Each structure stands twice: as structure tokens, then as C-alpha cells.
Amino acid sequence: MIRIPCPHCGPRDHAEFSYAGDATKIRPADPDAATAADWHDYVYFRDNPRGPHMEYWHHTQGCRAYVKVLRDTSTHEVLAAGMPGDTLEAGR
Amino acid sequence: MSESTTPPPRRSALANVWHPGDHGRIGFTGPQVTLRERRDITAIQLDAQRGTTDGVGKAVAAAFGLGLPGPGRATTTGDVRALWLGPDRWLLQTATPADLEPRLRSLTEGVGGVVVDQSHGRTILRIEGAKARDTLAKSTGIDLHPRAFAENAVAQTSLFQLAVTIDRRRGTSIFDVHAMRGFAVHLYEALLDAGGEYGVRLV
Amino acid sequence: MAEYSVFSLIRNALGGHKDWIRAWRDPEPKKHYDVIVIGGGGHGLATAYYLARNHGITNVAVLEKGWIGGGNVGRNTTIVRSNYMLDGNAHFYEHSLKLWEGLSRDLNYNVMFSQRGVLNLGHSDGQMDAYARRGNTMRLNGVDAELLDRKDVQRLYPHLDFSAAARFPIYGGLLQARGGTARHDAVAWGFARGADRLGVDIIQNCEVTGFERDGNRVTGIQTTRGTIGCGRVGMAVAGNTSRVAAMAGLRLPIESHVLQAFVSEPLKPLVDGVITYGAGHFYISQSDKGGLVLGGDLDFYNSYAQRGNLPTVEHVMACGLAMMPYLGRVRILRGWGGLMDMSMDGSPIISKTPIDNLYLNAGWCYGGFKATPGSGYVFAHTIANDTPHDFNKAMTLDRFATGHLIDEGGKGPTPKLH
Amino acid sequence: MIFGRVAIEQSHRLPTGGEIDRLAPLPFRFDGKAYRGYAGDTLASALLANGVTVVGRSFKYHRPRGVLSAGPEEPNALVELRGGGRKEPNSRATMIELFAGLEATSQHRWPSLALDIMELNDLASRFLVAGFYYKTFMGFPGWRFYEKRIRAAAGMGSGTVEWDPDRYEHMNTHCDVLVAGGGPSGLAAALMAGRAGARVILVEETDGLGGRLRSERETIDDKPAMGWVAKTRAELADMDEVRVLTRTTAFGCYDDNMVGALERVADHLAAPPEHMARQRLWHIRAGRVILATGAIERPLVFGGNDRPGVMLAGAVRSYLHRFAVTPGKRAVVVANNDDGYRTALDLARAGVEVMQVLDTRPAGAGAWRERAVAAGLDVMQRAAVVNAYGRMGVVGCDVATLDGHGGVGDTRYVPCDLIAASGGWSPSVHLHSHGDGKADWDDGIAAFVPGANRLGHVSVGAARGRFGLAEALSDGLKAGAEAAKACGFAIGAHPDTPITDEIATAPLKAIWSIPGPTDRTVKRFVDLQDDVTIDDIALAHREGFVSVEHLKRYTTLGMGTDQGKTSNITGHALLAEARGQPIPTVGTTRFRPPYTPVAMAAFAGAERGLHFSPVRRSAMHDWHAEHGAVFVEAGAWLRPQYYLRPGVTKAKAVMDRAIETEVRAVRSKVGLVDVSTLGKIDIQGPDAAEFLNRVYANGFKALPVGKARYGLMLREDGIVDDDGTTSRLGDTHYLMTTTTAHAAKVLADLEWYLQVVWPDLDVRVTSVTEQWAAMALAGPKAREVLAAAADHGTAVSNDALPYLGVINGSIAGVPVRLFRISFSGELGYEVNVPADWGTSVWEALIAAGEPHGITPYGMEAMGILRIEKGHVTHAELDGRITLDDVGMGRMASSKKWFVGRGMLDKPAFIDPERPKLVGLVPVDGKTRIPAGAILVADPATPPPVPKLGHVASSAYLSPTVGHPIALGFLARGRDRLGETVWAVFPLRNLSVQVKVVEPCFVDPEGSRLHV
Ligand SMILES: Cc1cc2nc3c(=O)[nH]c(=O)nc-3n(C[C@H](O)[C@H](O)[C@H](O)COP(=O)(O)OP(=O)(O)OC[C@H]3O[C@@H](n4cnc5c(N)ncnc54)[C@H](O)[C@@H]3O)c2cc1C
Ligand SMILES: NC(=O)c1ccc[n+]([C@@H]2O[C@H](COP(=O)([O-])OP(=O)(O)OC[C@H]3O[C@@H](n4cnc5c(N)ncnc54)[C@H](O)[C@@H]3O)[C@@H](O)[C@H]2O)c1
Ligand SMILES: Cc1cc2nc3c(=O)[nH]c(=O)nc-3n(C[C@H](O)[C@H](O)[C@H](O)COP(=O)(O)O)c2cc1C
Ligand SMILES: [Zn+2]
């Protein structure tokens, strides 16, 4: 069980969360300025790294917050966690 | 056009299944778990809009003498208990159904509070007794040990596949479990099953 | 006489089995190959085999970072079927199934393809309607399919949960009788041996670490065993697709997720065919050794760890018992994980790429084992002719841009849901 | 006299000693024959006590096999335990605790254990070498033919099709320190951590504490070591925060120190007591994990080393000391380490005739050897057993000296009925490896020991290759203290390591196979269960299967129920020899959970039957049940499918009639349906309007207070996601409804946009689905009924509550929300009621509707009503459909950006050939158009047939229009109105010619809505 340190609830089983994927994807902020290619990239492409991966987890069965997590995809180790707006660094 | 003016009694989601008495394995010491439904509770969810946390907190404190609790905690004053539900979100609970909702509404209007009545949306089961903790531990992954989950601790978590709120009341072995009303029968059956080996008294 | 046959077996038995030769050689990498296939999984090996067999291209190397067959081809639940609905998929998988039907003989290697039938259970009217649509489409495509009602299912598998206590009652099912299972390792080894005998070099313990480029062409492959020159490059690295593609500067509509599978202690025959539960993600069959081979859903997070966590294990087993309550005391012997290359519409990509001589084979999600021969066949075609085969012409990389998605499940660009 | 008889029956039982309770004799049966053992026995020890040597048959060659070990590593002695729904194949006799009435049968043999015709395989073994099946069975009559026979011969025990009557459950717990293994090192660790005040859990697989101490004669502080164990157990029991679980196997280490452990609560009983679980699966979340799992002894590989009567030396000591059983009367002992001497001495002391003690190591001194010699034992150094004889049990063996270069000297026959062998010990690194731990090779003990471990798991004692008792104890004390400290506990004085009376051991010298007779019929087994011989390993190597993982898969080495606990290292070492490379280069195969096999039901726990997945019930559920509702599940909710009158059964015709009645009632009079299951989301905040405007494709900004509007949401990829009505309850307050199936997802999506994408929007969203019961009153008489039910002051006239109006009101004294919306196409109202009052209001409406013939209706009728109106649901919105496809393209606002808009111009989405929503009616006016049928131009086309579309939903009879109708998608469908195509259903050999019509069959102008 991966233990995800929810910034609100503390460490919880990952089973309480729903995985919400890549947190490096930024939705085009100004839709009028966004090209088809921008949307295409946002919706379909993923870096999918082996190693530290910035991702969102929704604390669905908890406080219902989206939590930003830096997690190593090769070990499942959680390196850092915070709120969606936070910039995360390993070890925090 | 009908003439009624006062609402009829509230019907529990468990009205049809609740059979008071002792269930499961009853040892010499009798049932080690007691289960009761907390009925007719008024439960109002209070949210603070962006940047109004303080204002909302102050308004509530002024009116009820109640500090809104921080993450994972509950506070009680007199008749009203406030549970932390999530960021900027609380549940205010009272057993004396009065005018909690309108009061909260008028209190927080203007200071940025959002009020949502959830009185009917949740079934609340109180579980207590020597084996209450073990019964819950058969399904929830949170640490219910008093070192980690002391009196007035509150958690939103998962229990028997349901999203629930567990509220640790006075003492070490009294818990209120709030679950969505529609799943009340499932929760009830699952608790009876889990507590079966300890003996469960339904009151 | 074929190298492998009952006669050669007898002859060797009498001779103490001293004369068997290596199933595939262990060559040193050459300086240059006409085609380099990256990934010694089922697809990579099949691609090399068909390049040699169908296109006469034999100066081919398969580069494998570990031991061949150590990826998903060696860790899947071995279900083979062609019950697809969308045209972009359906003809491809049916072609693959046809190749399976002749594969052991073709390879002179018994891959134990066993057409024991694949049954998908349905648990609601809506689901049965969806099966009907799928089955009807299959029939119109010339693929076998049978729609079973509750009684038919009960006749086939009387011991499934037909009781009142069933949380999801069985309404019926969709059966593909030609579907079945195959011996996964044998598929890798059979293709490897077949390719080897046609001159392909299979190079193990050779991890690709980078690409050498000249403009829009790949000129060489950097590996842990040195740089190797190449004419064309086919990439078939399944769960590692994004990583290898990134070395070539490509970003892809793929996420890698972990999928677990399990095997029970060996039992006398207990489950005849392949059965999948329709009210949760669960599938089961029995291996020839006697182990029940079963699997379920992803762990639902990106992973390269080849191992999963307990909640998924428990959920898979709960699904299994919901369908077959009599398996309660059957013990799980081993569980493991594989890396799924989950694409954004749940369907594969067998395609040219923005790089002139680099070809991509990926996006297999839960289901690429059944595709192994078909995938090798059309990928070899695509590489050899620099143009897709009819069967993979819809499986392009640019379909995400044009909207010509092949979304069998209607789940949208959320790969974990496929 | 009972005791006298038992003593005679138990021919191999020692008169004294052991952990057995001689006052509690237990009758049991094996293969139908009655025996007796004692409480404290395992099935294996009880069988051995009764002189039973053959217990099972091997996987491939069906060779007779006896008991090899005394623990979970047992490869041979597998039996079918119990019967009926409780039958458990492949149960290890060495781990089955004896209980009165135990029934076990041998397996994998026919017709009997003694006479098994499949033993012919042994004669054919020359052909049945590793991987033979890949080389043959390819031709006529096809693999399926051979496979049937192979499958019948394969497998081990047989399962059952009866249902297991027992309960299973999970238990969650957290601790500071988890100790796996209750031997001396584990106990010492638990003691230290416990004394520091840490929350400690110690799990021990067997029924008691002590580990190897139960099987040896050792002392601690000059007293029998088991006394120390008892004292320690007592001290641990007194600690509030320490929990000791015996009969509990830590079976897997998962991420973040979650350890899975299986407690066998009632397996030592004939049946679990009522309400008790048979097994309990623990989820232990630990701060620190200490692995004190001991070591597993390896057999030696020599000719006939699989014969019944060849046992592990350490197991022989277990049977002697723990069970007071002598597994033989005349023993030969052979080892590559000092355990041979130890075993021989113990055997001799127990009165067993020790015929010969063989040490494969070159001659040399050693304290143990000297003891053995001093005790008068016949010791041969640099010598070994080269071949054992005896089909159903060892009768003797050839022993010979080894020349050290793969040859043997003169052989000598030694009669014996027991061969105790030890090839050294392998630390149990399984759990360490599950958690990504590395294994390092240790030449000193010729085994893998735990290496680096990212998770910080610490292995102690034998699990770390520290085989001495004093070492184990000091290791445990240290690790326990450190773990507690790491968890923030203060450590008291470190106690002195208890004193032991150990004799120094001489180093082991690995010998991976003992050279033997050249006779090819003599087999030397590496993996006993799967019959992998050294010849198989040589063959695999010859054929290029030279990675350990290939070796495993080609020969099945280590793939049996024991997962190679006694065989893997030897097999890998032999491969290394063949490759001419050091063992660490060759490596070992991957360890995987579970450590020992775990029942599926234990994993599933209580989530079985109806509790497999929770069901959800609406507030009016009991009313529906009392009124004949037949329920069907929809998104976890139980919903009335239709209602049966009392006394009517559920036949199809009746069902159709019930539905027809319900539909007619709605169209002609009035009906009432429970729609509580629709998702309801309360949306409030200053930016609520802007927010809705972004998530819905159609405009929401202009929606006035007191009004409802139908809305459609898209996914980011432009595909229709969900629909529903949203009402504006106040200036900054909205109520959104969603489909039943998507309610949870829509809420999560809204939270996503608010928290992650547009954190600048100030909006709060909450699910109020459960707060409000909801019911839809529909039909020409709906207003009259509502007016009759409504309390004074609640006006429902067309002016007071116009189409799409929303008001607060009161019915039966209950405050309600009234929405004038309709899914059926009739004059309709949705009534939202605080859930506890749902039934009261429902009953009030039924009562008020009685004079108008009000009829409750269910999902089926609702389905027909909506098809008649051409309203789409999930049957149409299947995740591949655009707004345009369902004819709602014009709803998408061009004035604003909304989710999914950026995708709408993709070529495929604007392709005119895309199938579009149409209505379909049978050309003959009566044939049903089944859902799932495919639309084609010509039903006679041979495959592959070009497909034009499909039928999405179908009403076999629309009572309103009087014939079957359907909704479907047809390529260029909007241009084909009036044309005919075919709906074909080859699965049932059906085809229907259908006419393409508008997808609305009733009141297309919507006049009924507005009355
Ligand atoms: C648990 C599980 C169950 C499944 N069940 C089924 C099923 O029932 N039916 C079905 O049809 N499909 C199933 N699948 C899917 C199927 O196994 C895969 O889709 C398919 O095997 C993928 O193709 P492959 O065989 O070529 O992949 P792999 O065998 O994974 O081959 C890829 C190879 O590339 C190598 N590689 C990676 N990176 C590099 C590098 N840098 N350099 C060199 N080599 C590299 C890897 O080591 C690997 O050997 C399942 C998968 C899993 C994990
Ligand atoms: N003669 C030798 O060379 C030799 C070799 C090894 C061990 N030993 C002796 O063994 C003892 C070592 O002590 P120790 O404590 O390290 O080991 P141990 O073998 O005494 O104890 C290990 C315990 O762990 C339990 N166990 C193993 N795996 C488990 C799991 N997954 N879950 C739960 N329980 C599990 C076993 O049942 C056993 O009781 C010493 O007395 C030592 O002298 C001697
Ligand atoms: C179809 C199938 C059947 C298997 N049967 C067995 C089995 O009988 N015994 C066994 O130990 N492992 C069995 N395995 C699992 C493998 O041992 C191994 O776990 C799997 O190939 C993944 O490799 P890994 O665990 O080395 O990562 C089986 C695997 C598959 C795919
Ligand atoms: Zn949280």
C-alpha cells in the first residue's frame, strides 16, 4: 500500500484516493490563444517518466482534496506531497 | 390542497432491518459491542468561501461559543458539535433539531459561508464497547489507536467500501460512524458481520 | 525431418539428449543491421521472424535489455481472442487469431494454442445489449461469436454463482469459441528460435540507451553493448515505450501502469475455458500445469515497478469469488506485475513516426499477447514497405490529432480506464 | 487400555519428550485408514509416528514421496485435507496441525497411493525431459487432443465445486515495529522494542514461539532454551502495546511497510466456531520491519535422493525433539556442514541406530566432528551417499568416498530406512526481496543473504545468515532497540546477550551435486515437487536457457507449491557450474508474494456474496418492496424495474404487461417514479454561474433564479460525458443533477476544475444526492395530483410553476423543492424531499393520485417513455458520441469556451459520414428491432459486411404508437429520413427491415409539456 501524505488528513492508504494522473500537464489557460496542437498535447500526451513523477491524487474517500504528489514510478516511493498549487521537491 | 403543517416523524434508512437485541457470539461477559443509530440529528455542512475562513470561524464562535476545529478534529459546545470534514469545510451537528440551518445561514451570510443541509443525507451509527475499535479495524485503514486517534479525532476515510466519517467521541471506545444514507443497510450488515465474533447488542 | 518432432524426441531420448542444439544462438552484435528491432518480447521477436520469413530481410537484430520473454509476453494471463467491435481493431485481431491457429506448425514449436473458448459474462440488460452489438459486429466481420442466455451459461459452467446471493446476477454472455490460451513463454521462445533459424541475431542483455541521428534519420543505436548501425528501426518495448521513445525525442499518448496477475497452486482440471466477469475486472483460465491463472484491473497509478499492491490483489480475488464461489479455498501461489503501455484510446499504435526510419509498435494495454503474431506480421510489413498493412492502417499515431480514435470502451483519454 | 494401544500403534513415537500432549490422543484418517496422534502433532509427525512413509506422489513422474521437511518448505507431503466445501488440495502435511477427526487423502495418484498407474511416466522419463512438450504434439489430431490428456495428468490435488461455508475477514493495524518470525532473534527484537514502549506486533507462522529452538536442544543462561522462550512470551504478553500472533504468516511485503499476514484462526480445529473467521488477513502498517524469518535447510543432490525416508537433517531433529518421533530405526546421515554431526548425535541419543555419518567436506578437525567420534559414531569424511534404494521407502544406500574431482571411490551398501541430509541453510530472504531488497551472495554459508533494502527492513538472526543462537539473540536485541529508537522511543539499558552453550561450527563446504552412478535410470533431483533433475538443468543449459529465469520457466524449477524453497539455490548453482560462472553472476530468480500460498477467500475477506460490493437503497425502497417492485441494479442503486400486482409471478409476458400498464398510465393519467438515484450537486459561490458556463457546453449564464435548464457536459476530448438539468435556486446557488451512473465522476470532475484548473473561481460543490429523495410525477393529471397533495401555500398552477420553473413548497408538512421538468414528455414535476421524509411525501402523492388512477412506474417504463421521446441515455451516450451525433450540436454555445470545445473541429468529428441519431420503425409494423442489432444496407452481403450503424435502444412495443420503435445511429442518418435499411442480428439469425424516422415518436412539438 502506498501511503500518501494528504496535506489535510495526514498519511493515508492510496486506496482511499483516486489517481488523477500527470500533474505536469497544464491546461491551456487562455482558450482563445490555444491552438489545436496545444489542446492535443494537453489531452493526449504524457511524459510518463520512470523515476520521479508529478501527479495528482484525489482524496475521494477522505477530504476530497486533490493532492499533488511527487512519486518515484520505479519504486512507488512518495518523495513529496502538497497542494495543487505547490511546487514540490523531493524530500519535502 | 392538504392541510398538514408539521412534518411527520423522520424515517430511518434502517427502519426495516433494525432488530434490537443481541447478535452473534455472546460470551460470558455479554456483547462486547453496542450499536445504536443516532436519529433525528440535524447536520449542517458549513463551507468557507475563498479567504473567509476567519470570518466564518468568528461568526460561528460568536454565535455558538464554538471554535471551528482544525484538520482531523472535532469540537463541542453544549449541544452543537463541529467536525472537520475537509479544507474549509465543517459539519455542525446537533441532536436538538431547531433552527440550526437558518441560524447558520443568517450568521454567515455576508461573511462568505456556504450552508448545505445534510441532516437527511447521512446515517449515523454509534458503536461502542470493548471491541468497537477492533470491529472498525476490520475494514478501515486508519490508525484508531488512542495514540493516533484520540478523543475528538475525526477522519474521513473508507469503511466497508464506503466513504465515511469516523468521529471518536468521549472515552476511548465510542465512535460515531457517518455514512451515506443509501448505504445504511450495507453498513449495518457489515458491522453486524464484523462484530459477530464479539457479540453485538443493537439498541 | 522437422527439427522438433516426436521422432527427433525419441531419437534424442535414446541418445541421452546430448544432441539438442541451442534454441537460439548467442551472437555478438554485428556492426550494422538492415533492421534493428528493439525489444525481445513477443512482438519484437515476431516482427523479426516475419521480416525474415515474409520479406526476406534477414540481416536483423533483436535487442533485448534482459532475457527474451522477460517482459509482458512472459507475465500475462495468455488470453487470446478476437472479439473486437471497431473496424480499426477487428480485422487486425482476427488476422492475428488466424495466425495463432497455424502457429505451432509454422514455427515448428508447440506454443500450446488451446481454443478452449473465451466467455464474457453479462450482468444487466444494458451489458447484454452491448455484447449483442459486439457479437453481431463480429459475425458481420466473419468472426465467430455466440450470444448465450443465462441457461446456456449455466449449461457450460453450472457452478458459477447462479444463486440469489449473487450480487451481480448472470444474465448471459458472449462466447468466442475460437478464443483460448497459449503457453506464453513458448511463444517468445518459438518466435526466437524461428527467427534465429532464418538468420536473425537475438542479442540479450543489450539495453538500448540512445539513438544516433542524422537529421531525421536514426543511424545507430546506442546500447549497453556498444553502438550498432541500422537501416531501419522498429520499437516494440511495451511498458517501456515512453522511455525508449524519449531517447529519440518522441512524446507519446501513453502511460505505463502496473497490472498484476496470479497463479494458484496446481489443480486437476477445474476450469475448462476462459471466463471473464462482467461486473468487475476479472478473468480466469487454467494452465496446462494446473494452476488457475487469473487477473483483474490495474493498480491505477503510473508504475515501472513490475509489482503491485494488496488492495488490487484483494479486489481481484473478491471478483473471482463473486463469479466462482467454489474457489474460496484455492490458494494463490504467486502474484506478479507487468508494465502496461496504456494508450489514450485503449488501442494499439503500429505506425510510422515523425522520424523517417523509426517505427513504433506500442499501446497494447491489457491485451497485446493475443496480438503477438498479428502485430509482428503487420509491423514487419510496415517496416519492410515503409507503409502500413491494411490491418494496421487505422492504428496510427496521428489518429489522436484527427479524432479517428479506436476507443472500444468509450473511456476517453484516461488510459487507466481502458 | 487406550494408552497402551496408542503406544503400540505409534510405532515410531519416543516414550518421552516433545511438545505433544500425550494425554490428548487424537484419532485421524489418512486415505481412509484410522490412526492416532497427539495434540501438538502435525499430520506429518503423526504419520511418521505411525510409520507411514509414503505420503504423496511427485508432479511429473508420479514417484512415491515421503516427508522431507518439518515446515512450510515441504515439497513432497501434499495431501487433500477435509472434504465437501472445505476440501483443500495441496495441503502440506508438515503444516497441518492435528485435530480430532482430521481426514486427509493422498492426491495426484490413481487408483491409490501405493499403486499409481501414472508411475509409468517414470519409466518414460527419458522422453519427458524438460520442455519435451514444446517439441511435439503439433500435428494431427491437434493440440487440444493431447492437451486434455496432459491436463488430466498434470495438476496436483483436486479442487471442489462446492462452496466454502467458512467466514473470512480482514484486520487492519498499525504498529511501530513489526517482527516477522518468533524464533530467538524475533523474540529478542520484540522484547527490546516492547520494553521501550513501542507498539509491537510479532507474527509467527507456526503454532508456537521458539523457532528452531523447538527443534534443538540448546540452552540459554544454562537452562533449556525453551524456558527462555516461555519467559519471554510471558513478558511480551504483559505488555499492553505488544501483540503476538501465532499461526500467522507474514506472506508479503508491500509498499511503504505494509505487510500482509495471514492468521489461521481456526485451521487447527475441525471447523471454525460460529461467527468466527476461519482465517484473518492482516494489513499491518509498520514504522519499522524486522525480518526474523530464519533459514531453510537444503537437501543434497544424490542418486535417489527423492526416496521416501530421505529427509532434511534439521527436520529429523524437529521430529525427534518437537514431536518425539523417530522417522526411522536405522539412519545414515550425510551433510556438507556440522549439522550432520548434530543430527547423528541426536538420533543416537534417541536410540536410533546410526549406521554411518558422512561428511562431504575434506578431512579436517572440528568440535562437532570430535563429539560425534567421541560418541562412537562411524564417521566418514569426504564421503557421501551416492544412491539410495527403495521404492516405497529407503531400504539402504550406496555410500562412497569422493575424489574431489567429480568421481567417487568404491561404493559400499549400507542398509537403512532413514537418510538425514543437510546441504546447508538458506536464509529466508523472501520478505526482504518482496520489498525491493537485493540479495547478496555469501560464500561462507553458500547462500544469498539480505543486501541493501530501500525500505529499511532489517533482517536478523538466521534470516541474515547468522546461524548461531547467541548471534541470533544479540542481533535481535540490537535490531529491536534500534527500531524502537527510530520510532522515537527511548531505549533503556541494553541487557547482556544471554549466554548459550553452543559448540563452534566448522565452515560449510558447498557441494551442489554428489557424483553418482553413471546408470541413466538413477535420477538426482533438484526440485522434488516438479521433478527437476540435474539432467534437466544440463539440458536447459545446452539448449540456451542459461538465464536463471529461463531455466526456471523451461524446467519449472521452483514453480511448484513450495516455490523452490529447498531447491532454487541448488538449481541456480548447478546452472552457474554449467556456465562456468560464479553464482552471484548467475543470480537468483525473483521472489514474489505470497511467501506461502494464501486462499483466495482470505484475500477477499468479508467482501463476498451480496457484500461483494455495497448496494444503495433509496429512501422509498421499503415502500417499493412492499408494493411488488422487482428491483434491478443501476450504478449500485437498487431501483424498481417494474411493479407486480400481488399474486402475479415474474414471467416475461407479465413483465411486459406490467411495463405496458405503467407506460399507458403515464401517457393517459399519471404515474410516479423514484428518481432519487440521479446525482445532485449543490453548487454555491460568487463564481457559480461562470463555472457552470465553463463546464456545460450550452450557456448557463443567463439562467434566471427559479429556473431549470437541461445541460450537456463534454469530456476534454470533445465527447459527450453527461447530461442533466441544473436549476438556479438563488443568486449564487445552483443545484445540478447528473445521471445515476456518472454522479460520482461528475462531482470529482467539478472538484478537479475548481481545485486544480480554475482555482481562481470561488465556488463550493457538495453532493446532496443522499439528502434529497426525488420522485417524478408525470402525466396529464400530474398537476391535479400535485395540487391535491401540496400543502396550503404551495401553488402549482401553470403561472406559479411554469415549465422549467423551480419553487419551494410543502407536501404533507414536509418542505420540498418542486421542479417542473419532464423526462417522459408529459406534464411533469420532480419533487425533492429531505430523504427521511421521502416515503411520507411519496405516500401523500400516491394518496392524492388515487382518484386519478396514479400508477407507480419503474425503470423499464421510464425507458420506453424516453425512447418514445427520443431522449438519450447512456445506451446512446456510450463514450464515443459527439453533440452533433445526437442532434444537439446547436446547443453548444459558440459564444463561450467550454470544456471539450477545443476538440470539436477534429476531422473525424465533423466527418459527414458519422453515424447520427435516428429513430427506427419496422417496415412491417410489427417486428421488434433488438438493441445491439447492426444497421446494414443489405442483409445478404457475405462477410465482411460494411456497417452503417447500430441500434442503441429499443422498445419492443411502444404502447403509445402501437408498434416497436428504436433509437439507433446511422451513417448520414439525418439525410436518410424515410429511407429503409436493415437491422441485422446474426447472433440470433434475425433481420428486420427498418424505416428511418425522426428520433421522436410522441409529441414532437412538446405541447404536452407546456399545458
Ligand atoms: C498481468 C498481465 C496480463 C495480461 N494478460 C493478457 C491477456 O490475457 N491477453 C492478452 O492478449 N494480453 C495480455 N497482456 C498484455 C500483453 O502481455 C502485452 O500487451 C504484450 O505482451 C506486449 O508485447 P510484448 O510481448 O512485445 O511485450 P514485452 O514482452 O514486454 O516486450 C518488450 C521487451 O522490450 C524490452 N525492452 C524494454 N526497454 C528496452 C530497452 N531500452 N532496450 C532493449 N530492450 C528493451 C523489455 O525488456 C521486454 O522484453 C497482459 C499483460 C500483463 C502484464
Ligand atoms: N544448525 C544451523 O546451522 C542452523 C541454521 C539456521 C538456524 N539455526 C538456529 O536457528 C535459530 C535462529 O534463530 P532465528 O530466530 O533467526 O530463526 P528461527 O528459525 O529460529 O525462527 C524463525 C521463525 O520465523 C518463523 N517464520 C518464518 N517465516 C515466517 C513468515 N513469513 N511469517 C511468520 N513467521 C515466519 C518460523 O516459523 C520460525 O519460527 C538459532 O537457534 C540457530 O541456532 C541453526
Ligand atoms: C500463464 C502463467 C502461468 C504461470 N504459472 C506458474 C506456476 O505454475 N508456478 C509458478 O511458480 N509461477 C507461475 N507463473 C508465474 C511466473 O513464475 C512469474 O511470476 C511470472 O512469469 C512473472 O515473472 P517474475 O515473477 O519473475 O517477475 C505463471 C505465469 C504465467 C504468465
Ligand atoms: Zn485528505
Side-chain angles (χ1 to χ4, degrees), chain C residues 109-192:
Chain C
Y109 203 92
N110 187 357
V111 299
M112 303 183 193
F113 178 51
S114 167
Q115 293 181 289
R116 49 181 82 168
V118 174
L119 172 63
N120 305 127
L121 297 179
H123 307 268
S124 68
D125 287 331
Q127 199 169 22
M128 290 307 294
D129 288 351
Y131 282 160
R133 179 178 172 199
R134 177 173 300 267
N136 283 325
T137 309
M138 289 165 65
R139 292 280 277 266
L140 294 180
N141 286 337
V143 180
D144 74 303
E146 289 159 63
L147 193 64
L148 308 187
D149 63 18
R150 183 175 161 96
K151 285 211 182 68
D152 299 330
V153 175
Q154 200 159 6
R155 227 170 285 128
L156 267 184
Y157 292 104
H159 306 293
L160 303 183
D161 192 351
F162 288 98
S163 76
R167 170 69 177 78
F168 296 98
I170 296 169
Y171 279 51
L174 184 66
L175 174 72
Q176 186 179 26
R178 280 166 64 241
T181 60
R183 170 89 179 96
H184 52 290
D185 294 324
V187 174
W189 302 337
F191 272 117

Side-chain angles (χ1 to χ4, degrees), chain B residues 42-44 64 79-81 91-107 115 119:
Chain B
T42 299
I44 311 298
F64 299 100
D79 215 15
V80 181
R81 184 168 178 84
L91 190 73
L92 272 67
Q93 240 191 21
T94 174
T96 44
D99 45 352
L100 188 58
E101 189 200 352
R103 265 183 82 196
L104 276 172
R105 210 180 276 289
S106 61
L107 265 172
V115 170
S119 304

